[in-house]
Amino acid sequence: YHGKPIYFLPGVPPQMEMLLRDKVLPGLQAMDGGRAVPVCQRVYRTCGLYEIEINQRLHTLEQNGVQIGYYPVGAEVHVSLTGHHLERGTDDPLFRQADALILKALGDNIYGLDQETLAAVTGRLLRERGLMLGTAESCTGGLIGASLTEVPGSSHWFKGGMIVYANELKEDLLGIDSALLIRCGAVSGETARAMASGALYRLGCDIAVAATGIAGPEGGTPDKPVGTVYLGLAYRNTVTHRLCRFHGSRRQIQEKTAQTAMDMVRRALLASEYS
């Protein structure tokens, strides 16, 4: 149309990706006698910061030749750095300068680049340290373990997990005192810590993460509304917990819980490296 090509691509992602890579991009590159400079891009996968916080740290980087994009994905935000008309692509000084500034501004909130997943990055850190991870899950129903075992080779660093949805299983499988559950409730920081400690001991692992919460759509109270989640972590003779407030559907809350639990493990491993 008026000298511009029109491409119709299928909606199936693998087919679309193949055609984009093998047909569309080479076709666009061949236009104008092959003199067109391709767009270059790098994606920074972050966890732990809201989109507005990232924007506040990066908005000054927008300049001619590079563009910043923000894409919330569950508990994560993916940040894209795109270069236009840069003769040397990602090796161009302008692109490299923006890349260095993003890495510095976001720090450990960046868990990976491009296609890396949080589970794969967490697993790599565990394997590098020779550690085995265990999980104790209530509200996520095994989603943390399922996410971890999607990574090939996860048997080298993931020992296993327990799905302890009912309180009697928290007592029987993890050894949690019934008095604690009565006093504090199943959804509490005390229970999250006890779940992590129980998983560490009962599974015989080096580090354990636990999740207990209210995924909804029912079950919330004024003090503990739907989306209230406590994460517990047991590692290096220390047991801690974190309170999270998530929003969305039941599935979205479960996915955000699983992502944040894996990120909690990742950050603990990085912190031990620096201490």
Coordinates of all heavy atoms in Angstrom, one line a residue, residues 50-95:
Y50 N 7.2 -1.2 41.8 CA 6.1 -0.9 41.0 C 6.5 -0.2 39.7 O 7.6 0.4 39.7 CB 5.0 -0.1 41.7 CG 4.4 -0.8 42.9 CD1 4.7 -0.5 44.2 CD2 3.4 -1.8 42.6 CE1 4.0 -1.2 45.2 CE2 2.8 -2.5 43.6 CZ 3.1 -2.2 44.9 OH 2.5 -2.9 45.9
E51 N 5.6 -0.2 38.7 CA 5.9 0.5 37.4 C 6.2 2.0 37.6 O 7.2 2.5 37.0 CB 4.8 0.3 36.5 CG 5.0 1.0 35.1 CD 3.8 0.8 34.2 OE1 2.8 0.1 34.6 OE2 3.9 1.4 33.1
I52 N 5.5 2.6 38.5 CA 5.7 4.1 38.7 C 7.1 4.3 39.4 O 7.7 5.3 39.1 CB 4.6 4.7 39.6 CG1 4.7 6.2 39.6 CG2 4.6 4.1 41.0 CD1 3.5 6.9 40.3
E53 N 7.5 3.4 40.3 CA 8.8 3.6 40.9 C 9.9 3.5 39.8 O 10.9 4.2 39.8 CB 9.0 2.5 42.0 CG 8.1 2.7 43.1 CD 8.3 1.5 44.1 OE1 7.8 0.4 43.8 OE2 8.9 1.8 45.2
I54 N 9.8 2.5 38.9 CA 10.7 2.3 37.9 C 10.8 3.5 36.9 O 11.8 4.0 36.5 CB 10.4 1.0 37.1 CG1 10.6 -0.2 38.0 CG2 11.3 0.9 35.8 CD1 10.2 -1.5 37.3
N55 N 9.6 4.0 36.6 CA 9.5 5.2 35.7 C 10.2 6.4 36.4 O 10.9 7.2 35.7 CB 8.0 5.6 35.5 CG 7.9 6.8 34.6 OD1 7.7 7.9 35.2 ND2 8.0 6.7 33.3
Q56 N 10.1 6.6 37.7 CA 10.7 7.7 38.4 C 12.2 7.6 38.3 O 12.9 8.6 38.3 CB 10.2 7.8 39.8 CG 8.8 8.2 40.0 CD 8.3 8.0 41.4 OE1 8.9 7.4 42.2 NE2 7.1 8.6 41.7
R57 N 12.7 6.4 38.3 CA 14.2 6.2 38.2 C 14.7 6.3 36.8 O 15.9 6.6 36.6 CB 14.5 4.8 38.8 CG 14.2 4.6 40.3 CD 14.7 3.3 40.8 NE 14.3 3.0 42.1 CZ 14.8 2.0 42.9 NH1 15.8 1.3 42.4 NH2 14.3 1.8 44.1
L58 N 13.9 6.1 35.8 CA 14.4 5.9 34.5 C 13.9 7.0 33.5 O 14.4 7.1 32.4 CB 14.0 4.6 33.9 CG 14.5 3.3 34.6 CD1 14.1 2.1 33.8 CD2 16.0 3.4 34.7
H59 N 13.0 7.9 33.9 CA 12.4 8.8 32.9 C 13.4 9.7 32.3 O 13.2 10.2 31.2 CB 11.2 9.6 33.6 CG 11.7 10.7 34.5 ND1 12.0 10.4 35.8 CD2 11.8 12.0 34.3 CE1 12.4 11.5 36.4 NE2 12.3 12.5 35.5
T60 N 14.5 10.0 33.0 CA 15.5 11.0 32.4 C 16.3 10.3 31.3 O 17.1 11.0 30.6 CB 16.4 11.5 33.5 OG1 17.1 10.4 34.1 CG2 15.6 12.3 34.5
L61 N 16.2 9.0 31.1 CA 17.0 8.3 30.1 C 16.4 8.5 28.7 O 17.1 8.2 27.7 CB 17.1 6.8 30.4 CG 17.8 6.5 31.7 CD1 18.0 5.0 31.9 CD2 19.2 7.1 31.8
E62 N 15.2 8.9 28.6 CA 14.6 9.0 27.2 C 15.3 10.1 26.5 O 15.5 11.2 26.9 CB 13.1 9.4 27.4 CG 12.2 8.3 28.0 CD 11.8 7.3 27.0 OE1 12.2 7.4 25.8 OE2 11.0 6.3 27.3
Q63 N 15.8 9.7 25.3 CA 16.5 10.7 24.5 C 16.5 10.2 23.0 O 16.0 9.1 22.7 CB 18.0 10.8 24.9 CG 18.7 9.5 25.0 CD 20.1 9.6 25.6 OE1 20.9 10.4 25.1 NE2 20.3 9.0 26.7
N64 N 16.9 11.0 22.1 CA 16.9 10.6 20.7 C 17.7 9.3 20.5 O 18.9 9.2 20.9 CB 17.5 11.7 19.8 CG 16.6 13.0 19.8 OD1 15.4 12.8 20.0 ND2 17.2 14.1 19.6
G65 N 17.1 8.4 19.8 CA 17.8 7.1 19.5 C 17.5 6.0 20.4 O 17.6 4.8 20.0
V66 N 17.0 6.2 21.7 CA 16.6 5.1 22.6 C 15.3 5.4 23.2 O 14.9 6.6 23.4 CB 17.7 4.9 23.7 CG1 19.0 4.4 23.1 CG2 17.8 6.1 24.5
Q67 N 14.6 4.4 23.5 CA 13.2 4.5 24.0 C 13.0 3.5 25.1 O 13.5 2.3 25.0 CB 12.2 4.3 22.9 CG 10.7 4.4 23.3 CD 9.8 4.2 22.2 OE1 10.2 3.8 21.1 NE2 8.5 4.4 22.4
I68 N 12.4 3.9 26.2 CA 12.1 3.0 27.3 C 10.6 2.6 27.4 O 9.8 3.4 27.2 CB 12.4 3.7 28.7 CG1 13.9 4.3 28.7 CG2 12.3 2.7 29.8 CD1 15.0 3.3 28.8
G69 N 10.4 1.3 27.6 CA 9.0 0.8 27.7 C 8.8 0.1 29.0 O 9.8 -0.5 29.5
Y70 N 7.6 0.1 29.5 CA 7.3 -0.6 30.8 C 6.1 -1.5 30.6 O 5.1 -1.1 30.1 CB 6.9 0.4 31.8 CG 7.9 1.6 32.0 CD1 7.8 2.7 31.2 CD2 9.0 1.5 32.8 CE1 8.7 3.8 31.3 CE2 10.0 2.5 32.9 CZ 9.8 3.6 32.2 OH 10.7 4.7 32.2
Y71 N 6.2 -2.8 31.1 CA 5.2 -3.8 30.8 C 5.0 -4.6 32.1 O 5.8 -5.6 32.4 CB 5.6 -4.7 29.7 CG 6.0 -3.9 28.4 CD1 7.4 -3.7 28.2 CD2 5.1 -3.4 27.6 CE1 7.8 -2.9 27.1 CE2 5.5 -2.7 26.5 CZ 6.8 -2.4 26.2 OH 7.2 -1.7 25.1
P72 N 4.0 -4.3 32.9 CA 3.7 -5.1 34.1 C 3.3 -6.5 33.7 O 2.5 -6.7 32.8 CB 2.5 -4.4 34.8 CG 2.6 -3.0 34.2 CD 3.1 -3.1 32.8
V73 N 3.9 -7.5 34.4 CA 3.6 -8.9 34.2 C 3.5 -9.6 35.5 O 4.5 -10.0 36.1 CB 4.7 -9.6 33.3 CG1 4.3 -11.1 33.1 CG2 4.9 -8.9 32.0
G74 N 2.2 -9.7 36.1 CA 2.1 -10.3 37.4 C 2.8 -9.4 38.4 O 2.5 -8.2 38.5
A75 N 3.6 -10.0 39.2 CA 4.4 -9.3 40.3 C 5.6 -8.6 39.7 O 6.4 -8.0 40.4 CB 4.7 -10.2 41.4
E76 N 5.9 -8.8 38.4 CA 7.0 -8.3 37.7 C 6.7 -7.1 36.9 O 5.6 -6.8 36.5 CB 7.7 -9.4 36.8 CG 8.0 -10.7 37.5 CD 8.6 -11.7 36.6 OE1 8.9 -11.4 35.4 OE2 8.6 -12.9 37.0
V77 N 7.8 -6.4 36.5 CA 7.7 -5.3 35.5 C 8.8 -5.5 34.6 O 10.0 -5.6 35.0 CB 7.7 -3.9 36.1 CG1 7.7 -2.9 35.0 CG2 6.6 -3.7 37.1
H78 N 8.5 -5.7 33.3 CA 9.6 -5.9 32.3 C 9.8 -4.5 31.6 O 8.9 -3.8 31.2 CB 9.1 -6.9 31.2 CG 8.9 -8.3 31.8 ND1 8.4 -9.3 31.0 CD2 9.2 -8.8 33.0 CE1 8.4 -10.4 31.8 NE2 8.8 -10.1 33.0
V79 N 11.1 -4.1 31.6 CA 11.5 -2.8 31.0 C 12.2 -3.1 29.7 O 13.2 -3.9 29.7 CB 12.4 -2.1 32.0 CG1 12.8 -0.7 31.5 CG2 11.7 -1.9 33.4
S80 N 11.8 -2.4 28.7 CA 12.5 -2.6 27.4 C 13.3 -1.3 27.1 O 12.9 -0.2 27.3 CB 11.5 -2.9 26.3 OG 10.7 -1.7 26.1
L81 N 14.5 -1.6 26.6 CA 15.3 -0.5 26.0 C 15.4 -0.8 24.5 O 16.0 -1.8 24.1 CB 16.7 -0.5 26.7 CG 17.8 0.4 26.1 CD1 17.3 1.9 26.2 CD2 19.1 0.2 26.7
T82 N 14.9 0.2 23.7 CA 14.9 0.0 22.3 C 15.7 1.1 21.6 O 15.6 2.3 21.9 CB 13.4 0.1 21.8 OG1 12.6 -0.9 22.5 CG2 13.4 -0.2 20.3
G83 N 16.6 0.7 20.7 CA 17.4 1.6 20.0 C 16.9 1.7 18.5 O 16.6 0.7 17.9
H84 N 16.8 2.9 18.0 CA 16.4 3.2 16.7 C 17.5 3.9 15.9 O 18.1 4.8 16.4 CB 15.2 4.1 16.7 CG 14.0 3.5 17.4 ND1 13.1 2.6 16.8 CD2 13.5 3.7 18.7 CE1 12.2 2.3 17.7 NE2 12.4 2.9 18.8
H85 N 17.8 3.3 14.7 CA 18.8 3.9 13.8 C 20.1 4.0 14.4 O 20.8 5.0 14.3 CB 18.3 5.3 13.3 CG 16.9 5.3 12.7 ND1 16.6 4.7 11.6 CD2 15.7 5.8 13.2 CE1 15.3 4.8 11.3 NE2 14.8 5.5 12.3
L86 N 20.5 3.0 15.2 CA 21.9 3.0 15.8 C 22.7 2.0 14.9 O 22.4 0.8 14.8 CB 21.8 2.5 17.2 CG 21.0 3.3 18.2 CD1 21.0 2.7 19.6 CD2 21.4 4.7 18.3
E87 N 23.7 2.6 14.3 CA 24.5 1.8 13.3 C 25.1 0.6 13.9 O 25.2 -0.4 13.2 CB 25.6 2.7 12.7 CG 25.0 3.9 11.8 CD 24.4 3.4 10.5 OE1 24.7 2.2 10.1 OE2 23.6 4.2 9.9
R88 N 25.5 0.6 15.2 CA 26.2 -0.5 15.8 C 25.3 -1.3 16.7 O 25.8 -2.2 17.5 CB 27.4 0.0 16.6 CG 28.5 0.7 15.7 CD 29.6 1.4 16.5 NE 30.2 0.4 17.4 CZ 31.2 0.8 18.3 NH1 31.5 2.1 18.3 NH2 31.7 -0.1 19.1
G89 N 24.0 -1.1 16.6 CA 23.0 -1.8 17.4 C 23.3 -1.7 18.9 O 23.5 -0.6 19.4
T90 N 23.3 -2.9 19.6 CA 23.5 -2.9 21.0 C 24.9 -2.5 21.4 O 25.2 -2.2 22.6 CB 23.2 -4.2 21.6 OG1 24.0 -5.2 21.0 CG2 21.7 -4.6 21.5
D91 N 25.8 -2.4 20.5 CA 27.2 -2.0 20.8 C 27.4 -0.5 20.6 O 28.5 0.0 20.8 CB 28.2 -2.8 19.9 CG 28.4 -4.2 20.3 OD1 28.2 -4.5 21.5 OD2 28.6 -5.0 19.4
D92 N 26.3 0.2 20.1 CA 26.4 1.6 19.9 C 26.6 2.3 21.3 O 26.0 1.9 22.3 CB 25.1 2.1 19.3 CG 25.2 3.6 18.8 OD1 25.0 4.5 19.7 OD2 25.5 3.8 17.7
P93 N 27.5 3.3 21.4 CA 27.8 4.0 22.6 C 26.5 4.5 23.3 O 26.4 4.5 24.5 CB 28.7 5.1 22.2 CG 29.4 4.6 21.0 CD 28.4 3.8 20.3
L94 N 25.6 5.0 22.5 CA 24.3 5.5 23.1 C 23.5 4.4 23.8 O 23.0 4.6 24.9 CB 23.5 6.2 22.0 CG 22.2 6.9 22.5 CD1 22.5 8.0 23.5 CD2 21.4 7.4 21.3
F95 N 23.5 3.2 23.2 CA 22.7 2.1 23.7 C 23.5 1.6 25.0 O 22.9 1.3 26.0 CB 22.6 1.0 22.7 CG 21.6 -0.1 23.1 CD1 20.3 -0.1 22.7 CD2 22.0 -1.2 23.9 CE1 19.4 -1.0 23.1 CE2 21.1 -2.1 24.3 CZ 19.8 -2.1 23.9

